[in-house]
Amino acid sequence: MDEQELLEAVHRLTWPGTGDLDCGEPGHPEGHICLAPSDENDLAALQEALSGRYGRPRNLAMDGYADPTVTARTGLPLLAPFGDRIVEMRAWVYAGRFIGCGAARSDDGVRIVVLVAEREDPAADLAEVTSWVDGVVAVTGWDTASARTVDWEEVEARIGTALPGDYKRLAEVFGHGAFDGFLQLRVPGAAFRSDDIVLNTEWLGEWAASHRSGLWEPYEVYPAPGGLLEWASSEQADQFYWLTEGEDPDRWPILAKEDIPDSWQRFDGTTAEFVYRMLTDRQHPFSTARYFDAHWFDSYEKEDEG
């Protein structure tokens, strides 16, 4: 398979409802399928192409050494078929499956390996949620070791208001990316200007003030008193705002709008609660639980960012 054929095969195998994964390679365990890259493929180019589709990968093995902390829930099924022959492996997550791309030793030398493996549902043994942020972490199986530090004093000074506490924790723990490939967080320092909450808030406020538009009726856009401040969007052009009414940002309601007129919906809960319920509640108006049984976070940040 060339690069395009591999990408198409991975896409087919990761989509929900595609059936069981049965490799058939002698000695390989159940629960995965190895694909067949041609000799013309370039490993770095393949990994870059997969990152373009599935976000930042986790590094499971490098220079012949596997990460000893890898578990069944963080990518071990991608290493199991190769044992001590593994040379390199990077892992991506899509719904209930892992995607792996790396290299392994064979009788003919080192060869590129690409595979798709079953992923345990990270929420299968979910205990009672102690906080909404912890619930989102548990449901997505996210590695909190990648949490970053944000200078919230500077961010809030530039925006001109304090921000909800559990949103700030979400931004620190997850960074720039999207839940279930759907809900894209606006966070400080995002790689895309439109996803940087500071730059987007400044631009949106200036645009709304200088244009006569009924896009947000009956509301106004922040920094108008009690105005809308956008914290997320979706690939379907849905928009998610806080209604900045009152002095306590932790009590700001959420207003969500589809890309059609008069579609406002109000949620009286925190930001992390909104995300958690979106991931787990099939009755939620913006539910991804209707489409996916297992959930994940696509990170758009570079591997050397933290």
Side-chain angles (χ1 to χ4, degrees):
M1 294 183 179
D2 62 21
E3 179 179 304
Q4 187 58 40
E5 290 171 328
L6 286 166
L7 294 175
E8 290 174 356
V10 167
H11 177 73
R12 289 194 300 271
L13 291 170
T14 53
W15 195 254
T18 54
D20 296 333
L21 300 179
D22 184 11
C23 182
E25 288 278 345
H28 281 205
E30 297 179 349
H32 78 280
I33 287 181
C34 287
L35 302 175
S38 66
D39 293 338
E40 288 73 29
N41 283 286
D42 178 77
L43 178 57
L46 267 177
Q47 291 174 337
E48 183 176 355
L50 288 166
S51 293
R53 293 192 177 196
Y54 302 105
R56 184 179 67 178
R58 176 168 181 168
N59 197 3
L60 304 186
M62 180 63 70
D63 297 328
Y65 295 96
D67 181 349
T69 67
V70 177
T71 68
R73 292 193 175 184
T74 59
L76 192 59
L78 298 174
L79 299 178
F82 310 105
D84 59 8
R85 295 182 292 113
I86 196 69
V87 174
E88 177 180 345
M89 183 62 70
R90 293 189 182 186
W92 296 262
V93 172
Y94 188 91
R97 290 183 172 169
F98 290 115
I99 302 161
C101 181
R105 288 183 290 273
S106 69
D107 294 339
D108 301 323
V110 176
R111 61 185 177 90
I112 295 175
V113 293
V114 179
L115 68 161
V116 175
E118 297 289 359
R119 172 189 179 224
E120 289 186 16
D121 181 357
D125 299 321
L126 182 63
E128 184 177 352
V129 174
T130 55
S131 77
W132 296 117
V133 173
D134 289 343
V136 176
V137 169
V139 165
T140 58
W142 187 246
D143 179 10
T144 58
S146 60
R148 61 181 186 160
T149 301
V150 178
D151 186 345
W152 290 112
E153 184 175 347
E154 178 184 355
V155 168
E156 292 172 330
R158 286 189 61 182
I159 292 177
T161 180
L163 298 173
D166 71 345
Y167 156 78
K168 292 192 286 188
R169 184 59 183 152
L170 280 177
E172 291 171 344
V173 170
F174 290 94
H176 182 209
F179 293 99
D180 283 5
F182 171 75
L183 186 80
Q184 299 175 348
L185 281 180
R186 301 274 191 262
V187 299
F192 313 136
R193 291 178 61 88
S194 60
D195 284 344
D196 185 313
I197 192 169
V198 176
L199 299 179
N200 186 69
T201 299
E202 293 173 345
W203 174 83
L204 198 59
E206 292 170 1
W207 192 94
S210 59
H211 292 73
R212 292 181 176 273
S213 172
L215 290 174
W216 296 280
E217 291 182 350
Y219 306 100
E220 294 186 82
V221 173
Y222 181 85
L228 299 168
L229 201 165
E230 189 175 16
W231 61 271
S233 64
S234 85
E235 61 174 9
Q236 277 82 37
D238 305 309
Q239 297 165 315
F240 305 88
Y241 303 90
W242 297 299
L243 185 62
T244 60
E245 55 184 16
E247 296 182 358
D248 184 358
D250 291 327
R251 299 179 66 85
W252 288 346
I254 290 171
L255 288 173
K257 182 181 185 298
E258 298 177 64
D259 192 27
I260 55 176
D262 302 321
S263 59
W264 292 107
Q265 299 191 61
R266 177 172 171 141
F267 301 86
D268 290 300
T270 71
T271 309
E273 179 183 358
F274 180 94
V275 175
Y276 179 83
R277 294 193 183 282
M278 182 197 78
L279 296 174
T280 61
D281 184 357
R282 290 176 177 268
Q283 303 307 313
H284 192 284
F286 295 91
S287 173
T288 59
R290 300 175 202 159
Y291 310 105
F292 303 108
D293 293 326
H295 306 279
W296 74 103
F297 182 76
D298 287 333
S299 174
Y300 299 160
E301 297 183 355
K302 296 180 181 178
E303 290 183 70
D304 58 353
E305 291 178 345

